[in-house]
PDB file of all heavy atoms in Angstrom:
ATOM      1  N   GLY M 177      -1.929  17.894  -2.756  1.00 86.00           N
ATOM      2  CA  GLY M 177      -0.536  18.257  -3.031  1.00 86.00           C
ATOM      3  C   GLY M 177       0.422  17.903  -1.917  1.00 86.00           C
ATOM      4  O   GLY M 177       1.580  18.377  -1.869  1.00 86.00           O
ATOM      5  N   VAL M 178      -0.030  17.089  -0.951  1.00 89.00           N
ATOM      6  CA  VAL M 178       0.848  16.656   0.160  1.00 89.00           C
ATOM      7  C   VAL M 178       1.421  15.256  -0.146  1.00 89.00           C
ATOM      8  O   VAL M 178       0.642  14.334  -0.252  1.00 89.00           O
ATOM      9  CB  VAL M 178       0.071  16.610   1.487  1.00 89.00           C
ATOM     10  CG1 VAL M 178       0.926  16.135   2.639  1.00 89.00           C
ATOM     11  CG2 VAL M 178      -0.606  17.940   1.809  1.00 89.00           C
ATOM     12  N   PRO M 179       2.766  15.166  -0.306  1.00 91.00           N
ATOM     13  CA  PRO M 179       3.331  13.872  -0.637  1.00 91.00           C
ATOM     14  C   PRO M 179       3.092  12.919   0.537  1.00 91.00           C
ATOM     15  O   PRO M 179       3.173  13.286   1.714  1.00 91.00           O
ATOM     16  CB  PRO M 179       4.836  14.170  -0.737  1.00 91.00           C
ATOM     17  CG  PRO M 179       4.927  15.625  -0.953  1.00 91.00           C
ATOM     18  CD  PRO M 179       3.760  16.220  -0.219  1.00 91.00           C
ATOM     19  N   THR M 180       2.794  11.670   0.220  1.00 94.00           N
ATOM     20  CA  THR M 180       2.564  10.609   1.211  1.00 94.00           C
ATOM     21  C   THR M 180       3.281   9.375   0.816  1.00 94.00           C
ATOM     22  O   THR M 180       3.606   9.142  -0.341  1.00 94.00           O
ATOM     23  CB  THR M 180       1.041  10.312   1.360  1.00 94.00           C
ATOM     24  OG1 THR M 180       0.577   9.732   0.153  1.00 94.00           O
ATOM     25  CG2 THR M 180       0.251  11.510   1.781  1.00 94.00           C
ATOM     26  N   VAL M 181       3.449   8.495   1.732  1.00 96.00           N
ATOM     27  CA  VAL M 181       3.874   7.092   1.523  1.00 96.00           C
ATOM     28  C   VAL M 181       3.085   6.239   2.475  1.00 96.00           C
ATOM     29  O   VAL M 181       3.059   6.503   3.698  1.00 96.00           O
ATOM     30  CB  VAL M 181       5.438   6.919   1.783  1.00 96.00           C
ATOM     31  CG1 VAL M 181       5.794   5.435   1.703  1.00 96.00           C
ATOM     32  CG2 VAL M 181       6.236   7.752   0.890  1.00 96.00           C
ATOM     33  N   THR M 182       2.388   5.293   1.928  1.00 97.00           N
ATOM     34  CA  THR M 182       1.600   4.358   2.793  1.00 97.00           C
ATOM     35  C   THR M 182       2.474   3.133   3.075  1.00 97.00           C
ATOM     36  O   THR M 182       2.994   2.502   2.171  1.00 97.00           O
ATOM     37  CB  THR M 182       0.332   3.975   2.079  1.00 97.00           C
ATOM     38  OG1 THR M 182      -0.457   5.154   1.767  1.00 97.00           O
ATOM     39  CG2 THR M 182      -0.511   3.032   2.926  1.00 97.00           C
ATOM     40  N   LEU M 183       2.601   2.829   4.366  1.00 96.00           N
ATOM     41  CA  LEU M 183       3.311   1.612   4.775  1.00 96.00           C
ATOM     42  C   LEU M 183       2.289   0.487   4.957  1.00 96.00           C
ATOM     43  O   LEU M 183       1.292   0.727   5.584  1.00 96.00           O
ATOM     44  CB  LEU M 183       4.065   1.874   6.085  1.00 96.00           C
ATOM     45  CG  LEU M 183       5.058   3.009   6.110  1.00 96.00           C
ATOM     46  CD1 LEU M 183       5.709   3.120   7.521  1.00 96.00           C
ATOM     47  CD2 LEU M 183       6.152   2.822   5.050  1.00 96.00           C
ATOM     48  N   THR M 184       2.603  -0.643   4.366  1.00 96.00           N
ATOM     49  CA  THR M 184       1.714  -1.805   4.457  1.00 96.00           C
ATOM     50  C   THR M 184       2.605  -3.025   4.633  1.00 96.00           C
ATOM     51  O   THR M 184       3.781  -2.989   4.360  1.00 96.00           O
ATOM     52  CB  THR M 184       0.813  -1.916   3.274  1.00 96.00           C
ATOM     53  OG1 THR M 184      -0.090  -2.971   3.488  1.00 96.00           O
ATOM     54  CG2 THR M 184       1.576  -2.174   1.961  1.00 96.00           C
ATOM     55  N   THR M 185       2.012  -4.114   5.099  1.00 97.00           N
ATOM     56  CA  THR M 185       2.730  -5.341   5.172  1.00 97.00           C
ATOM     57  C   THR M 185       2.326  -6.247   3.990  1.00 97.00           C
ATOM     58  O   THR M 185       1.350  -6.004   3.339  1.00 97.00           O
ATOM     59  CB  THR M 185       2.496  -6.075   6.501  1.00 97.00           C
ATOM     60  OG1 THR M 185       1.128  -6.422   6.579  1.00 97.00           O
ATOM     61  CG2 THR M 185       2.875  -5.278   7.665  1.00 97.00           C
ATOM     62  N   ARG M 186       3.177  -7.280   3.754  1.00 97.00           N
ATOM     63  CA  ARG M 186       2.998  -8.165   2.615  1.00 97.00           C
ATOM     64  C   ARG M 186       1.593  -8.707   2.503  1.00 97.00           C
ATOM     65  O   ARG M 186       1.007  -8.808   1.393  1.00 97.00           O
ATOM     66  CB  ARG M 186       3.982  -9.316   2.607  1.00 97.00           C
ATOM     67  CG  ARG M 186       5.329  -8.880   2.145  1.00 97.00           C
ATOM     68  CD  ARG M 186       6.213 -10.094   1.960  1.00 97.00           C
ATOM     69  NE  ARG M 186       7.607  -9.582   1.844  1.00 97.00           N
ATOM     70  CZ  ARG M 186       8.557  -9.818   2.703  1.00 97.00           C
ATOM     71  NH1 ARG M 186       8.320 -10.597   3.783  1.00 97.00           N
ATOM     72  NH2 ARG M 186       9.755  -9.320   2.525  1.00 97.00           N
ATOM     73  N   ASP M 187       1.002  -9.033   3.623  1.00 97.00           N
ATOM     74  CA  ASP M 187      -0.327  -9.664   3.592  1.00 97.00           C
ATOM     75  C   ASP M 187      -1.434  -8.650   3.122  1.00 97.00           C
ATOM     76  O   ASP M 187      -2.543  -9.138   2.710  1.00 97.00           O
ATOM     77  CB  ASP M 187      -0.735 -10.215   4.957  1.00 97.00           C
ATOM     78  CG  ASP M 187      -0.078 -11.591   5.205  1.00 97.00           C
ATOM     79  OD1 ASP M 187       0.845 -11.956   4.493  1.00 97.00           O
ATOM     80  OD2 ASP M 187      -0.488 -12.278   6.133  1.00 97.00           O
ATOM     81  N   PHE M 188      -1.147  -7.427   3.138  1.00 96.00           N
ATOM     82  CA  PHE M 188      -2.133  -6.405   2.750  1.00 96.00           C
ATOM     83  C   PHE M 188      -1.709  -5.688   1.478  1.00 96.00           C
ATOM     84  O   PHE M 188      -2.390  -4.702   1.070  1.00 96.00           O
ATOM     85  CB  PHE M 188      -2.329  -5.387   3.914  1.00 96.00           C
ATOM     86  CG  PHE M 188      -2.968  -6.044   5.082  1.00 96.00           C
ATOM     87  CD1 PHE M 188      -2.131  -6.445   6.165  1.00 96.00           C
ATOM     88  CD2 PHE M 188      -4.326  -6.259   5.156  1.00 96.00           C
ATOM     89  CE1 PHE M 188      -2.709  -7.029   7.266  1.00 96.00           C
ATOM     90  CE2 PHE M 188      -4.868  -6.913   6.265  1.00 96.00           C
ATOM     91  CZ  PHE M 188      -4.061  -7.290   7.313  1.00 96.00           C
ATOM     92  N   GLU M 189      -0.682  -6.171   0.855  1.00 96.00           N
ATOM     93  CA  GLU M 189      -0.120  -5.519  -0.387  1.00 96.00           C
ATOM     94  C   GLU M 189      -1.169  -5.492  -1.509  1.00 96.00           C
ATOM     95  O   GLU M 189      -1.405  -4.460  -2.152  1.00 96.00           O
ATOM     96  CB  GLU M 189       1.093  -6.257  -0.838  1.00 96.00           C
ATOM     97  CG  GLU M 189       1.845  -5.588  -1.982  1.00 96.00           C
ATOM     98  CD  GLU M 189       3.192  -6.300  -2.251  1.00 96.00           C
ATOM     99  OE1 GLU M 189       3.412  -7.440  -1.763  1.00 96.00           O
ATOM    100  OE2 GLU M 189       3.952  -5.706  -2.959  1.00 96.00           O
ATOM    101  N   ILE M 190      -1.814  -6.627  -1.728  1.00 96.00           N
ATOM    102  CA  ILE M 190      -2.850  -6.680  -2.804  1.00 96.00           C
ATOM    103  C   ILE M 190      -4.020  -5.803  -2.451  1.00 96.00           C
ATOM    104  O   ILE M 190      -4.555  -5.055  -3.333  1.00 96.00           O
ATOM    105  CB  ILE M 190      -3.291  -8.135  -3.072  1.00 96.00           C
ATOM    106  CG1 ILE M 190      -2.069  -8.919  -3.660  1.00 96.00           C
ATOM    107  CG2 ILE M 190      -4.488  -8.185  -3.985  1.00 96.00           C
ATOM    108  CD1 ILE M 190      -2.336 -10.421  -3.787  1.00 96.00           C
ATOM    109  N   LEU M 191      -4.439  -5.790  -1.237  1.00 96.00           N
ATOM    110  CA  LEU M 191      -5.586  -4.978  -0.783  1.00 96.00           C
ATOM    111  C   LEU M 191      -5.197  -3.483  -1.009  1.00 96.00           C
ATOM    112  O   LEU M 191      -6.014  -2.714  -1.533  1.00 96.00           O
ATOM    113  CB  LEU M 191      -5.956  -5.204   0.661  1.00 96.00           C
ATOM    114  CG  LEU M 191      -7.070  -4.342   1.243  1.00 96.00           C
ATOM    115  CD1 LEU M 191      -8.378  -4.572   0.504  1.00 96.00           C
ATOM    116  CD2 LEU M 191      -7.187  -4.687   2.721  1.00 96.00           C
ATOM    117  N   ALA M 192      -4.008  -3.082  -0.619  1.00 96.00           N
ATOM    118  CA  ALA M 192      -3.596  -1.691  -0.767  1.00 96.00           C
ATOM    119  C   ALA M 192      -3.520  -1.316  -2.282  1.00 96.00           C
ATOM    120  O   ALA M 192      -4.000  -0.203  -2.634  1.00 96.00           O
ATOM    121  CB  ALA M 192      -2.199  -1.454  -0.133  1.00 96.00           C
ATOM    122  N   ALA M 193      -3.018  -2.172  -3.104  1.00 96.00           N
ATOM    123  CA  ALA M 193      -2.955  -1.911  -4.552  1.00 96.00           C
ATOM    124  C   ALA M 193      -4.365  -1.778  -5.123  1.00 96.00           C
ATOM    125  O   ALA M 193      -4.685  -0.873  -5.985  1.00 96.00           O
ATOM    126  CB  ALA M 193      -2.124  -2.970  -5.240  1.00 96.00           C
ATOM    127  N   THR M 194      -5.233  -2.649  -4.708  1.00 97.00           N
ATOM    128  CA  THR M 194      -6.613  -2.640  -5.243  1.00 97.00           C
ATOM    129  C   THR M 194      -7.317  -1.366  -4.778  1.00 97.00           C
ATOM    130  O   THR M 194      -8.045  -0.750  -5.546  1.00 97.00           O
ATOM    131  CB  THR M 194      -7.360  -3.899  -4.750  1.00 97.00           C
ATOM    132  OG1 THR M 194      -6.701  -5.043  -5.184  1.00 97.00           O
ATOM    133  CG2 THR M 194      -8.813  -3.875  -5.218  1.00 97.00           C
ATOM    134  N   ALA M 195      -7.089  -1.014  -3.499  1.00 96.00           N
ATOM    135  CA  ALA M 195      -7.739   0.247  -2.984  1.00 96.00           C
ATOM    136  C   ALA M 195      -7.228   1.453  -3.698  1.00 96.00           C
ATOM    137  O   ALA M 195      -7.964   2.373  -4.016  1.00 96.00           O
ATOM    138  CB  ALA M 195      -7.511   0.399  -1.482  1.00 96.00           C
ATOM    139  N   ALA M 196      -5.908   1.503  -3.952  1.00 95.00           N
ATOM    140  CA  ALA M 196      -5.352   2.652  -4.674  1.00 95.00           C
ATOM    141  C   ALA M 196      -5.908   2.710  -6.089  1.00 95.00           C
ATOM    142  O   ALA M 196      -6.301   3.796  -6.556  1.00 95.00           O
ATOM    143  CB  ALA M 196      -3.787   2.487  -4.701  1.00 95.00           C
ATOM    144  N   LYS M 197      -5.997   1.629  -6.742  1.00 95.00           N
ATOM    145  CA  LYS M 197      -6.515   1.608  -8.109  1.00 95.00           C
ATOM    146  C   LYS M 197      -8.022   2.041  -8.100  1.00 95.00           C
ATOM    147  O   LYS M 197      -8.458   2.799  -8.922  1.00 95.00           O
ATOM    148  CB  LYS M 197      -6.408   0.206  -8.702  1.00 95.00           C
ATOM    149  CG  LYS M 197      -6.866   0.100 -10.120  1.00 95.00           C
ATOM    150  CD  LYS M 197      -6.639  -1.293 -10.694  1.00 95.00           C
ATOM    151  CE  LYS M 197      -7.046  -1.356 -12.107  1.00 95.00           C
ATOM    152  NZ  LYS M 197      -6.906  -2.705 -12.690  1.00 95.00           N
ATOM    153  N   GLY M 198      -8.777   1.553  -7.074  1.00 94.00           N
ATOM    154  CA  GLY M 198     -10.160   1.928  -6.986  1.00 94.00           C
ATOM    155  C   GLY M 198     -10.371   3.434  -6.713  1.00 94.00           C
ATOM    156  O   GLY M 198     -11.344   3.986  -7.070  1.00 94.00           O
ATOM    157  N   ARG M 199      -9.395   4.064  -6.069  1.00 93.00           N
ATOM    158  CA  ARG M 199      -9.446   5.484  -5.786  1.00 93.00           C
ATOM    159  C   ARG M 199      -8.904   6.264  -7.015  1.00 93.00           C
ATOM    160  O   ARG M 199      -8.844   7.485  -6.947  1.00 93.00           O
ATOM    161  CB  ARG M 199      -8.643   5.850  -4.582  1.00 93.00           C
ATOM    162  CG  ARG M 199      -9.142   5.286  -3.281  1.00 93.00           C
ATOM    163  CD  ARG M 199     -10.345   6.016  -2.758  1.00 93.00           C
ATOM    164  NE  ARG M 199      -9.992   7.410  -2.468  1.00 93.00           N
ATOM    165  CZ  ARG M 199     -10.768   8.262  -1.876  1.00 93.00           C
ATOM    166  NH1 ARG M 199     -11.998   7.898  -1.547  1.00 93.00           N
ATOM    167  NH2 ARG M 199     -10.373   9.466  -1.642  1.00 93.00           N
ATOM    168  N   GLY M 200      -8.473   5.563  -8.028  1.00 90.00           N
ATOM    169  CA  GLY M 200      -7.973   6.223  -9.244  1.00 90.00           C
ATOM    170  C   GLY M 200      -6.545   6.705  -9.125  1.00 90.00           C
ATOM    171  O   GLY M 200      -6.113   7.538  -9.904  1.00 90.00           O
ATOM    172  N   VAL M 201      -5.813   6.111  -8.121  1.00 91.00           N
ATOM    173  CA  VAL M 201      -4.381   6.516  -7.924  1.00 91.00           C
ATOM    174  C   VAL M 201      -3.486   5.264  -7.790  1.00 91.00           C
ATOM    175  O   VAL M 201      -2.827   5.055  -6.818  1.00 91.00           O
ATOM    176  CB  VAL M 201      -4.236   7.445  -6.679  1.00 91.00           C
ATOM    177  CG1 VAL M 201      -4.820   8.765  -6.957  1.00 91.00           C
ATOM    178  CG2 VAL M 201      -4.924   6.814  -5.445  1.00 91.00           C
ATOM    179  N   PRO M 202      -3.413   4.451  -8.856  1.00 93.00           N
ATOM    180  CA  PRO M 202      -2.630   3.212  -8.750  1.00 93.00           C
ATOM    181  C   PRO M 202      -1.153   3.530  -8.538  1.00 93.00           C
ATOM    182  O   PRO M 202      -0.482   2.676  -7.980  1.00 93.00           O
ATOM    183  CB  PRO M 202      -2.851   2.549 -10.106  1.00 93.00           C
ATOM    184  CG  PRO M 202      -3.233   3.670 -11.025  1.00 93.00           C
ATOM    185  CD  PRO M 202      -4.023   4.648 -10.177  1.00 93.00           C
ATOM    186  N   GLN M 203      -0.699   4.727  -8.820  1.00 91.00           N
ATOM    187  CA  GLN M 203       0.726   5.101  -8.642  1.00 91.00           C
ATOM    188  C   GLN M 203       0.972   5.618  -7.202  1.00 91.00           C
ATOM    189  O   GLN M 203       2.113   6.012  -6.914  1.00 91.00           O
ATOM    190  CB  GLN M 203       1.146   6.146  -9.660  1.00 91.00           C
ATOM    191  CG  GLN M 203       0.650   7.571  -9.402  1.00 91.00           C
ATOM    192  CD  GLN M 203      -0.829   7.812  -9.767  1.00 91.00           C
ATOM    193  OE1 GLN M 203      -1.605   6.901 -10.037  1.00 91.00           O
ATOM    194  NE2 GLN M 203      -1.228   9.130  -9.786  1.00 91.00           N
ATOM    195  N   LEU M 204       0.014   5.595  -6.343  1.00 93.00           N
ATOM    196  CA  LEU M 204       0.140   6.087  -4.958  1.00 93.00           C
ATOM    197  C   LEU M 204       1.355   5.435  -4.347  1.00 93.00           C
ATOM    198  O   LEU M 204       1.419   4.174  -4.322  1.00 93.00           O
ATOM    199  CB  LEU M 204      -1.088   5.836  -4.206  1.00 93.00           C
ATOM    200  CG  LEU M 204      -1.255   6.508  -2.834  1.00 93.00           C
ATOM    201  CD1 LEU M 204      -1.414   8.055  -3.043  1.00 93.00           C
ATOM    202  CD2 LEU M 204      -2.432   5.946  -2.075  1.00 93.00           C
ATOM    203  N   PRO M 205       2.313   6.179  -3.791  1.00 94.00           N
ATOM    204  CA  PRO M 205       3.488   5.573  -3.232  1.00 94.00           C
ATOM    205  C   PRO M 205       3.174   4.642  -2.021  1.00 94.00           C
ATOM    206  O   PRO M 205       2.459   5.059  -1.089  1.00 94.00           O
ATOM    207  CB  PRO M 205       4.367   6.731  -2.771  1.00 94.00           C
ATOM    208  CG  PRO M 205       3.862   7.914  -3.541  1.00 94.00           C
ATOM    209  CD  PRO M 205       2.392   7.650  -3.795  1.00 94.00           C
ATOM    210  N   ARG M 206       3.684   3.435  -2.082  1.00 96.00           N
ATOM    211  CA  ARG M 206       3.530   2.471  -1.012  1.00 96.00           C
ATOM    212  C   ARG M 206       4.875   1.831  -0.771  1.00 96.00           C
ATOM    213  O   ARG M 206       5.609   1.546  -1.696  1.00 96.00           O
ATOM    214  CB  ARG M 206       2.516   1.388  -1.404  1.00 96.00           C
ATOM    215  CG  ARG M 206       1.105   1.953  -1.600  1.00 96.00           C
ATOM    216  CD  ARG M 206       0.075   0.858  -1.856  1.00 96.00           C
ATOM    217  NE  ARG M 206       0.425  -0.002  -2.986  1.00 96.00           N
ATOM    218  CZ  ARG M 206       0.202   0.296  -4.255  1.00 96.00           C
ATOM    219  NH1 ARG M 206      -0.380   1.440  -4.633  1.00 96.00           N
ATOM    220  NH2 ARG M 206       0.537  -0.528  -5.247  1.00 96.00           N
ATOM    221  N   VAL M 207       5.093   1.482   0.507  1.00 97.00           N
ATOM    222  CA  VAL M 207       6.292   0.667   0.883  1.00 97.00           C
ATOM    223  C   VAL M 207       5.750  -0.540   1.594  1.00 97.00           C
ATOM    224  O   VAL M 207       5.010  -0.446   2.566  1.00 97.00           O
ATOM    225  CB  VAL M 207       7.251   1.512   1.738  1.00 97.00           C
ATOM    226  CG1 VAL M 207       8.386   0.600   2.291  1.00 97.00           C
ATOM    227  CG2 VAL M 207       7.823   2.639   0.970  1.00 97.00           C
ATOM    228  N   THR M 208       6.160  -1.744   1.127  1.00 96.00           N
ATOM    229  CA  THR M 208       5.686  -2.967   1.662  1.00 96.00           C
ATOM    230  C   THR M 208       6.748  -3.517   2.657  1.00 96.00           C
ATOM    231  O   THR M 208       7.936  -3.622   2.354  1.00 96.00           O
ATOM    232  CB  THR M 208       5.409  -3.995   0.561  1.00 96.00           C
ATOM    233  OG1 THR M 208       4.457  -3.455  -0.329  1.00 96.00           O
ATOM    234  CG2 THR M 208       4.856  -5.248   1.121  1.00 96.00           C
ATOM    235  N   LEU M 209       6.252  -3.898   3.834  1.00 97.00           N
ATOM    236  CA  LEU M 209       7.066  -4.433   4.938  1.00 97.00           C
ATOM    237  C   LEU M 209       6.700  -5.836   5.159  1.00 97.00           C
ATOM    238  O   LEU M 209       5.640  -6.327   4.749  1.00 97.00           O
ATOM    239  CB  LEU M 209       6.865  -3.607   6.206  1.00 97.00           C
ATOM    240  CG  LEU M 209       7.013  -2.094   6.073  1.00 97.00           C
ATOM    241  CD1 LEU M 209       6.599  -1.352   7.332  1.00 97.00           C
ATOM    242  CD2 LEU M 209       8.434  -1.743   5.715  1.00 97.00           C
ATOM    243  N   PRO M 210       7.617  -6.615   5.818  1.00 97.00           N
ATOM    244  CA  PRO M 210       7.276  -8.035   6.162  1.00 97.00           C
ATOM    245  C   PRO M 210       6.007  -8.123   7.038  1.00 97.00           C
ATOM    246  O   PRO M 210       5.676  -7.193   7.714  1.00 97.00           O
ATOM    247  CB  PRO M 210       8.504  -8.480   6.925  1.00 97.00           C
ATOM    248  CG  PRO M 210       9.561  -7.504   6.670  1.00 97.00           C
ATOM    249  CD  PRO M 210       8.928  -6.205   6.388  1.00 97.00           C
ATOM    250  N   HIS M 211       5.420  -9.305   6.965  1.00 96.00           N
ATOM    251  CA  HIS M 211       4.253  -9.606   7.801  1.00 96.00           C
ATOM    252  C   HIS M 211       4.438 -10.859   8.518  1.00 96.00           C
ATOM    253  O   HIS M 211       4.952 -11.816   7.971  1.00 96.00           O
ATOM    254  CB  HIS M 211       3.015  -9.654   6.905  1.00 96.00           C
ATOM    255  CG  HIS M 211       1.718  -9.805   7.673  1.00 96.00           C
ATOM    256  ND1 HIS M 211       0.992  -8.726   8.094  1.00 96.00           N
ATOM    257  CD2 HIS M 211       1.128 -10.926   8.164  1.00 96.00           C
ATOM    258  CE1 HIS M 211      -0.058  -9.216   8.743  1.00 96.00           C
ATOM    259  NE2 HIS M 211      -0.031 -10.494   8.798  1.00 96.00           N
ATOM    260  N   PRO M 212       4.116 -10.877   9.794  1.00 96.00           N
ATOM    261  CA  PRO M 212       3.612  -9.807  10.611  1.00 96.00           C
ATOM    262  C   PRO M 212       4.813  -9.092  11.300  1.00 96.00           C
ATOM    263  O   PRO M 212       5.881  -9.650  11.491  1.00 96.00           O
ATOM    264  CB  PRO M 212       2.786 -10.588  11.707  1.00 96.00           C
ATOM    265  CG  PRO M 212       3.520 -11.904  11.850  1.00 96.00           C
ATOM    266  CD  PRO M 212       4.045 -12.200  10.446  1.00 96.00           C
ATOM    267  N   LEU M 213       4.521  -7.858  11.666  1.00 96.00           N
ATOM    268  CA  LEU M 213       5.579  -7.080  12.397  1.00 96.00           C
ATOM    269  C   LEU M 213       5.385  -7.210  13.940  1.00 96.00           C
ATOM    270  O   LEU M 213       6.363  -7.079  14.646  1.00 96.00           O
ATOM    271  CB  LEU M 213       5.408  -5.591  11.979  1.00 96.00           C
ATOM    272  CG  LEU M 213       5.888  -5.220  10.604  1.00 96.00           C
ATOM    273  CD1 LEU M 213       5.575  -3.751  10.337  1.00 96.00           C
ATOM    274  CD2 LEU M 213       7.376  -5.446  10.434  1.00 96.00           C
TER     275      LEU M 213
END
């Protein structure tokens, strides 16, 4: 019940989406940033 936002960069966007889907939470809030920072 703790709201989160995962920050990721563009190069890891697909990996983050796949991991979220694999955990059963494809709607997990994510914010994508430019790569590299």
